[in-house]
Structure formats: structure tokens, C-alpha cells
Amino acid sequence: MLKLVVFDCDGVMFSSRESNRRYYNDLLTAFSCPLMDEEELNYVHIHNDRNSVAHIFRNHGHVDPKLIEAHRLGLDYAPYLRFMTMEPDLLRFLACIKPTYQTAISTNRTDTMEIILDTFALRPWFDMVVTALNAPRPKPSPDGLLMILDHFQVQPHEAIYIGDSVIDQEHCAGAGVDLIAFRNRALDARYHVDDFMSIAHLPPFQANG
């Protein structure tokens, strides 16, 4: 029986592609580097910030990585929040599944996750949040999901993960947790949905009445 629902952040809870575009392009601009192309934007949208920064600066060896990191840490993320759009039925879905299920987030975001939780008043809805900062290894490693399973003392078959990328697909496979693919029919997933309220009608949720 389902006991735990785990969410990805970007591309699932939020449409955040534009905020990621502006954030990483601003990093590049600060060092007079060309803006990201579409491949690079796709990369940063699903990877953790350390790997993303390394990827977009991979052809700019003249820039000191320590200077990049110092600039990134000093960059206020608040202005980028206005380019993030929360899924319109997310809060309705959360209200529907609480308190029947435990809820958690497993994301490749790092220090920006805290401001997102507070700005959008999401903190009360989640019992645990694991980011690339507190997981031993970021997604696609299963570490974050395994931490969550251990915390709640539930088995993989008692949990389900809502994600939108190949990174999430591998994340779930490594932990033995079923994936609900959010607006990505190309993923190998147990279920595919296009909105949150459709999830409430899936068999694992119907089993709990």
C-alpha cells in the first residue's frame, strides 16, 4: 500500500525553465562568456548547480572556477523567482493527499530550494526535503530517495516519485521506486500524467480510498 509521495521540483512542481535560463546566463555574462545554447539549457534544467556550472563553462577555461563559485554564491536568487510558475493544481493536490500520505521532495537544487519553499509557502506541505546539498550524491544517484525511504521507514514499493526527466527515471530505478512521469511520455515510467489532479485517480491512490 502506498505510504509516501516524493516530488521533483523543476519541471514538476514548477515551470522553471525561464528562471534557469536567466540565472545561468547571468553567470556567463558576468564573465563575458556567450549565452547558453538550447542543449546547455536542457542540461542545467535537470542537473545540480555544480555540474551545470561546470558544463556551461566547459569551453571557457580562462575563467577561474573559484571566481565563478564566489560569484554564484553572492548572486541573490530572489529576482529569479518571478520567472518561476507553480503548477496551478499543485496545492489542491497536496491538500488532497495530506494527511493520508507522507510527502517529500528529492531535487537537484541546492541552496535555492529554501527560498523557494518559503516564497511559495510550501514548507508546511512537505515532511522532508532532500537536495543536492544534503544527499551524498545528486540525482541520478538514488541516494536522495534512499535517504527519504530510510527516514520514513518505508519500502520502495510503498513509495512513488513524480518526475519529468531521464535523471528522475534513473533516480527511481536505482532505488526501486515507481515513477510517475510528469508531461514526458518518452520516459519509462509506471504512469504518465499531464497534471497533478490526474495523479489522485491513479490505482495506488485509489487503493487507499
Side-chain angles (χ1 to χ4, degrees), residues 69-202:
E69 180 63 4
H71 184 79
R72 188 192 72 80
L73 290 175
L75 195 59
D76 182 9
Y77 195 76
Y80 300 96
L81 292 174
R82 70 180 185 274
F83 301 108
M84 294 184 67
T85 304
M86 188 165 65
E87 283 296 316
D89 59 346
L90 173 62
L91 292 179
R92 182 183 171 199
F93 176 67
L94 287 168
C96 179
I97 65 172
K98 295 285 284 180
T100 306
Y101 307 99
Q102 301 284 355
T103 55
I105 296 172
S106 178
T107 175
N108 264 348
R109 280 189 175 269
T110 54
D111 47 350
T112 60
M113 195 64 221
E114 294 297 315
I115 190 173
I116 290 170
L117 291 171
D118 291 333
T119 300
F120 293 94
L122 287 171
R123 198 178 291 277
W125 292 105
F126 292 97
D127 304 302
M128 184 178 187
V129 178
V130 175
T131 71
L133 276 181
N134 51 19
R137 296 174 297 173
K139 297 188 299 183
S141 160
D143 293 5
L145 260 179
L146 294 175
M147 286 174 61
I148 293 168
L149 294 174
D150 182 66
H151 175 81
F152 292 108
Q153 290 296 288
V154 301
Q155 298 301 310
H157 68 273
E158 298 174 316
I160 205 158
Y161 185 88
I162 309 168
D164 71 312
S165 70
V166 173
I167 295 290
D168 297 321
Q169 178 181 300
E170 296 176 11
H171 187 51
C172 289
V177 171
D178 281 343
L179 170 66
I180 299 174
F182 198 83
R183 297 200 185 120
N184 189 342
R185 300 282 166 174
L187 295 181
D188 181 11
R190 177 72 66 181
Y191 305 102
H192 292 82
V193 300
D194 294 314
D195 59 76
F196 275 108
M197 289 311 297
S198 294
I199 297 173
H201 301 292
L202 295 176

Side-chain angles (χ1 to χ4, degrees), residues 29-42:
T29 300
F31 296 95
S32 303
C33 296
L35 302 182
M36 292 185 294
D37 59 26
E38 202 64 18
E39 179 279 326
E40 290 169 329
L41 176 59
N42 290 336

Side-chain angles (χ1 to χ4, degrees), residues 19-63 65 68-69 71-72 75:
S19 64
N20 285 330
R21 181 198 304 274
R22 292 173 181 265
Y23 177 77
Y24 287 103
N25 275 343
D26 283 354
L27 276 178
L28 288 164
T29 300
F31 296 95
S32 303
C33 296
L35 302 182
M36 292 185 294
D37 59 26
E38 202 64 18
E39 179 279 326
E40 290 169 329
L41 176 59
N42 290 336
Y43 185 95
V44 302
H45 193 56
I46 62 175
H47 287 83
N48 69 83
D49 58 1
R50 179 172 296 180
N51 288 346
S52 294
V53 168
H55 185 73
I56 64 175
F57 280 95
R58 69 195 184 285
N59 297 321
H60 310 300
H62 63 286
V63 185
I68 300 171
E69 180 63 4
H71 184 79
R72 188 192 72 80
L75 195 59

